[in-house]
Amino acid sequence: GAVVSQHPSRVICKSGTSVKIECRSLDFQATTMFWYRQFPKQSLMLMATSNEGSKATYEQGVEKDKFLINHASLTLSTLTVTSAHPEDSSFYICSARSGGATDTQYFGPGTRLTVL
Amino acid sequence: KQEVTQIPAALSVPEGENLVLNCSFTDSAIYNLQWFRQDPGKGLTSLLLIQSSQREQTSGRLNASLDKSSGRSTLYIAASQPGDSATYLCAVRIMGFQKLVFGTGTRLLVSP
């Protein structure tokens, strides 16, 4: 089956620094990738939809200047949390849309971000 | 706005029981519905995907049904095992959109 990887799996950073998370589709090309965040014991909330070669579409209430998304190729999307604060600590999960006949989303293993 | 709710929020059962997890959604104009499993601190594992034109899907001990008109889906787990302990999430893809709307999740604990 289709595989999506995320790097790093967990990161701890100091308040005020920026953190970049990578999402890669390993064996298929993904024209669309999605970024979700999940707080403890809560469900996934969509942050933004990322289309290759164009600007990301952010969900209501998500600051686009704080969560920078780049989708420069068909297999890679990055999420950069700028000037991170403790309230940004969360589990970030990406997914990649396969398109074609199956047209389904495959999810990455997630990245645990802790901001001190 | 599509809202997805799952009942119960948590469930604890002894090993061997058959159980049913429920998912309801407010807008029946969906493209498909998907059930996922999430282990603590991990990503999502897709279990079953039901297209809007389908009524059910089966995989091993799992059976998922879809009643689009009533806005409901159920996930049936037969002969539960401790390894089934996880959080189960349902998600709907809205017709005409790519994004998924996730339910609130059911935390399942199967004790030996």
Side-chain angles (χ1 to χ4, degrees):
Chain A
V3 177
V4 176
S5 70
Q6 278 185 245
H7 178 79
S9 58
R10 58 179 63 227
V11 56
I12 300 173
C13 69
K14 293 182 179 180
S15 185
T17 61
S18 294
V19 175
K20 179 184 284 188
I21 303 170
E22 293 186 349
C23 177
R24 293 181 184 272
S25 56
L26 298 184
D27 51 2
F28 67 99
Q29 293 183 330
T31 54
T32 306
M33 290 185 172
F34 304 85
W35 287 95
Y36 298 83
R37 68 184 299 181
Q38 185 179 34
F39 291 107
K41 295 187 178 181
Q42 294 189 25
S43 191
L44 276 73
M45 297 298 295
L46 180 66
M47 299 175 66
T49 301
S50 168
N51 291 298
E52 186 264 338
S54 63
K55 291 184 178 180
T57 302
Y58 290 81
E59 294 297 300
Q60 190 173 8
V62 178
E63 299 176 61
K64 62 179 181 180
D65 293 330
K66 180 167 187 62
F67 299 99
L68 301 179
I69 292 173
N70 182 278
H71 192 163
S73 77
L74 288 172
T75 59
L76 173 65
S77 176
T78 60
L79 168 68
T80 301
V81 183
T82 63
S83 187
H85 288 94
E87 57 265 31
D88 298 324
S89 299
S90 187
F91 194 56
Y92 292 87
I93 303 177
C94 73
S95 70
R97 177 173 172 240
S98 66
T102 57
D103 193 17
T104 191
Q105 288 186 32
Y106 297 93
F107 285 80
T111 296
R112 172 74 59 193
L113 171 62
T114 302
V115 185
L116 302 176
Chain B
K1 177 185 174 183
Q2 177 74 271
E3 294 184 1
V4 184
T5 306
Q6 291 184 243
I7 295 173
L11 182 62
S12 182
V13 299
E15 182 177 8
E17 278 202 8
N18 303 321
L19 50 97
V20 175
L21 308 182
N22 298 291
C23 172
S24 61
F25 45 95
T26 54
D27 187 344
S28 62
I30 64 170
Y31 186 77
N32 59 40
L33 182 145
Q34 202 163 358
W35 283 92
F36 296 89
R37 167 189 173 134
Q38 185 177 30
D39 293 288
K42 304 293 184 181
L44 303 182
T45 300
S46 179
L47 298 173
L48 291 164
L49 183 149
I50 311 177
Q51 301 293 348
S52 62
S53 58
Q54 298 175 322
R55 299 282 294 184
E56 67 177 346
Q57 283 286 331
T58 298
S59 176
R61 295 183 292 109
L62 305 180
N63 175 277
S65 67
L66 174 64
D67 184 343
K68 201 172 62 167
S69 61
S70 67
R72 295 185 181 188
S73 175
T74 61
L75 178 66
Y76 176 82
I77 303 177
S80 59
Q81 302 171 357
D84 295 331
S85 298
T87 294
Y88 291 80
L89 296 163
C90 71
V92 298
R93 179 178 165 187
I94 306 168
M95 191 74 74
F97 292 87
Q98 300 180 61
K99 65 181 183 181
L100 299 180
V101 179
F102 279 84
T104 46
T106 294
R107 292 192 304 278
L108 173 66
L109 176 64
V110 181
S111 53

